[in-house]
C-alpha cells in the first residue's frame, strides 16, 4: 500500500521552541514558516508528484526517507537552494499523531487538514509519512 509523504518537510537544522502563540508565515518562494516549532514547511503538500512525473506522489516508507534526504528545493525569493530536509518528527509513544508532534501540531493547533488547508495547497486525503519518533 502506498502512502503519501507529508511533503511539508521540515528543515533539519531547526529546533523546537516554546512560544505560546504559533503563526504560520508565508515566506514566499513556496515556503511556510512555523513560529511555534521554528521550522519551515514546503507549501505544496504533494510536492513529490513533481519529482515523479505521471505519479500521484505516493511512495513507500523507504522511498519517502530517501526522497526527503536527497531533496533539493530552489527558493526563488532568496535565490538559494535548500538541501537539508527531513520528514516531520513525531513526539510520544503511541501509534497516532500527538498534539505536540510536528504533524499533530499542524492538525490540532493550526487546524490544517484536507478540508482546511490554510496557507498550504495540494493536501492529500490519505496518510502522510512521519520521519522519526522522539520519546
Amino acid at each position: 500500500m502506498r502512502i503519501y509523504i507529508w511533503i511539508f518537510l521540515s528543515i533539519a537544522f531547526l529546533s523546537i521552541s516554546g512560544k505560546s502563540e504559533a503563526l504560520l508565515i508565508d515566506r514566499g518562494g513556496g515556503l511556510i514558516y512555523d513560529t511555534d516549532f521554528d521550522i519551515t514547511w514546503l507549501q505544496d503538500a504533494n510536492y513529490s508528484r513533481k519529482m515523479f512525473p505521471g505519479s500521484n506522489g505516493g511512495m513507500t516508507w523507504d522511498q519517502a526517507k530517501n526522497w526527503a534526504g536527497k531533496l533539493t528545493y530552489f527558493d526563488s525569493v532568496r535565490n538559494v537552494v535548500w538541501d537539508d530536509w527531513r520528514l516531520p518528527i513525531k513526539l510520544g509513544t503511541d501509534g497516532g499523531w500527538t498534539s505536540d508532534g510536528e504533524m499533530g501540531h499542524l492538525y490540532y493547533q493550526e487546524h490544517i487538514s484536507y478540508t482546511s488547508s490554510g496557507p498550504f495547497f495540494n493536501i492529500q486525503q490519505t496518510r502522510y509519512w512521519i520521519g522519526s519518533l522522539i520519546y
Side-chain angles (χ1 to χ4, degrees), residues 54 56 64 66 71 79 84 89 92 97 105 107 111-112 114 118-121 125 135:
N56 61 5
N66 186 50
L71 177 65
N79 197 31
D84 51 352
I89 293 174
W97 289 354
H105 167 74
Y107 183 76
H111 308 291
I112 301 298
Y114 180 73
F120 302 102
F121 61 92
Q125 200 167 6
Y135 298 102

Side-chain angles (χ1 to χ4, degrees), residues 44-62:
D44 185 346
N46 195 16
Y47 187 73
S48 64
R49 83 190 181 308
K50 294 179 181 179
M51 307 301 289
F52 304 104
S55 79
N56 61 5
M59 58 185 75
T60 67
W61 163 246
D62 287 331

Side-chain angles (χ1 to χ4, degrees), residues 14-101:
L14 301 173
S15 62
I16 298 171
S17 75
K19 297 178 185 173
S20 61
E21 291 185 36
L23 292 174
L24 295 176
I25 299 169
D26 186 341
R27 297 179 65 202
L31 302 170
I32 303 296
Y33 179 69
D34 185 330
T35 62
D36 201 32
F37 276 79
D38 191 25
I39 57 177
T40 299
W41 303 92
L42 286 177
Q43 189 172 23
D44 185 346
N46 195 16
Y47 187 73
S48 64
R49 83 190 181 308
K50 294 179 181 179
M51 307 301 289
F52 304 104
S55 79
N56 61 5
M59 58 185 75
T60 67
W61 163 246
D62 287 331
Q63 289 171 328
K65 287 191 324 182
N66 186 50
W67 181 81
K70 293 181 178 180
L71 177 65
T72 59
Y73 182 81
F74 177 68
D75 177 350
S76 60
V77 171
R78 283 156 281 286
N79 197 31
V80 66
V81 174
W82 299 105
D83 63 0
D84 51 352
W85 298 96
R86 62 168 170 77
L87 295 176
I89 293 174
K90 175 189 176 299
L91 303 174
T93 59
D94 65 353
W97 289 354
T98 58
S99 60
D100 55 351

